[in-house]
Structures are given as C-alpha cells and as structure tokens.
Amino acid sequence: MVEAGVGSGALSIWLLRAIGESGRLTSFERREEFADVARDNVASFFGYDPTSWDVVVGDLVEQLPGTIERETADRVVLDMLAPWECVDAVADALTPGGVLLCYIATVTQLSRVAEAIRGTGRFTDPSSTETMIRGWHVEGLAVRPDHRMIGHTGFLLTARRLADGAVLPELKRRPS
C-alpha cells in the first residue's frame, strides 16, 4: 500500500492498523518536518516504530518509480494538494485491479483529478462521494437532527486500475 501526503501521521496509523503485521505501507511526504512529526506520532501511538512502514521524503512522482516496483501496489491513497499531478506515476505502480483513492477538499480539485484519471485511459470511471457529518439530538422521544450541521468536510474519489490493453465499455446515457 502507498500513501502520499503524510501530514501528522493520523491516516498512516489507521492504514497500518488496517494492513496488520503482514502488510506493508510506504508513505511519501515532501516535507521533512511533516515526516518527522508523523514518525513521532506513529511511534507514540504504537509504542514502537512499525517495521511494516517506510517513510520516503520527497516528491511522489520522482520517488515512487525507484521505491515501488511497477504494478505491485494494491492500493494508493493520495491526501495532497494536487493529486492529478501523480496519476500517471500511480497508474504505473498499481497492479491491475488496484485501487486509487484521493481525498480532495474542493470541487475544482475534484473535477481536475477526475478528468486527469479519465484522461489516462488506465482506470475505471472515477467514483466520487462527499463526506458529510450530521449530528443528532437524542433525548427520550425528542429525536431529530441537530440544528447546526457541518455541511461539508471533503470528497473521496476512487478508481480501479485497468489491465494494460483493457478498454472500458462506453457509458450509455439516456437522451436528454
């Protein structure tokens, strides 16, 4: 599994827990100070430095080909400002059927990364969801949504890597 945009290491902790001892996580971070914070937070959470985790400091596009063998990554998680810049490198690293997941903060970023994924011809049509948080008031029979709501927290976009030579069937659309 590959992660880019390590930040504080919170997602790295979650991914390490998900893959367990038999999995492997390689995280890429452009900024050394963020990588140091993430390493400290992960070690603090687990009480040790996980041997199943590598942190690579540098640009994903430059570092990924020399770090991960072509078509061997089963999952790539991009939590970064411009994931569309990494789509070609990620496509090379992902195994056919592997999943690309991007966390995106704005609608314009969502559109840009979706079009970059489509433009490669190497992925299934991207699927996007908006993450919403809606609290509820629950007190006896007074059960209703909270009066105030955080209406938007971000977008998740996923796509699967196609095998080389595979072509997606044309999407049939109803006439308007």
Side-chain angles (χ1 to χ4, degrees), residues 24-72:
R24 178 134 217 94
L25 175 62
T26 304
S27 300
F28 293 83
E29 175 55 56
R30 284 183 176 176
R31 297 174 59 177
E32 181 74 50
E33 63 271 23
F34 284 10
D36 289 341
V37 167
R39 285 185 194 104
D40 289 346
N41 287 338
V42 168
S44 176
F45 179 85
F46 287 108
Y48 60 91
D49 292 323
T51 58
S52 58
W53 186 44
D54 297 310
V55 179
V56 178
V57 176
D59 184 82
L60 177 75
V61 173
E62 296 170 7
Q63 301 293 323
L64 186 62
T67 307
I68 303 294
E69 278 188 56
R70 185 177 172 83
E71 296 188 353
T72 60

Side-chain angles (χ1 to χ4, degrees), residues 3 5 34 42 49 57 59 63 82 95 103 113 115 127 140 158 163 169:
E3 167 197 26
F34 284 10
V42 168
D49 292 323
V57 176
D59 184 82
Q63 301 293 323
T95 187
Y103 170 78
V113 74
E115 293 309 313
S127 173
T158 59

Side-chain angles (χ1 to χ4, degrees), residues 51-172:
T51 58
S52 58
W53 186 44
D54 297 310
V55 179
V56 178
V57 176
D59 184 82
L60 177 75
V61 173
E62 296 170 7
Q63 301 293 323
L64 186 62
T67 307
I68 303 294
E69 278 188 56
R70 185 177 172 83
E71 296 188 353
T72 60
D74 63 346
R75 303 285 186 271
V76 174
V77 178
L78 301 179
D79 181 3
M80 56 185 11
L81 185 61
W84 54 86
E85 295 175 352
C86 305
V87 171
D88 288 325
V90 165
D92 289 340
L94 273 170
T95 187
V99 175
L100 167 61
L101 181 138
C102 302
Y103 170 78
I104 303 139
T106 70
V107 172
T108 52
Q109 290 170 316
L110 176 65
S111 175
R112 193 159 180 190
V113 74
E115 293 309 313
I117 289 169
R118 283 188 187 103
T120 68
R122 300 176 73 188
F123 289 91
T124 59
D125 201 36
S127 173
S128 59
T129 57
E130 184 177 16
T131 305
M132 304 284 284
I133 298 174
R134 180 175 169 173
W136 280 74
H137 170 87
V138 179
E139 193 173 315
L141 295 177
V143 178
R144 59 176 163 61
D146 284 340
H147 293 294
R148 294 182 185 242
M149 177 177 145
I150 298 171
H152 172 74
T153 57
F155 296 98
L156 293 176
L157 184 138
T158 59
R160 281 195 183 272
R161 163 80 155 72
L162 296 171
D164 291 336
V167 178
L168 282 178
E170 280 193 44
L171 184 61
K172 294 186 179 185

Side-chain angles (χ1 to χ4, degrees), residues 10-31:
L11 179 59
S12 304
I13 291 168
W14 189 89
L15 294 172
L16 286 163
R17 291 177 69 199
I19 64 173
E21 292 298 317
S22 61
R24 178 134 217 94
L25 175 62
T26 304
S27 300
F28 293 83
E29 175 55 56
R30 284 183 176 176
R31 297 174 59 177

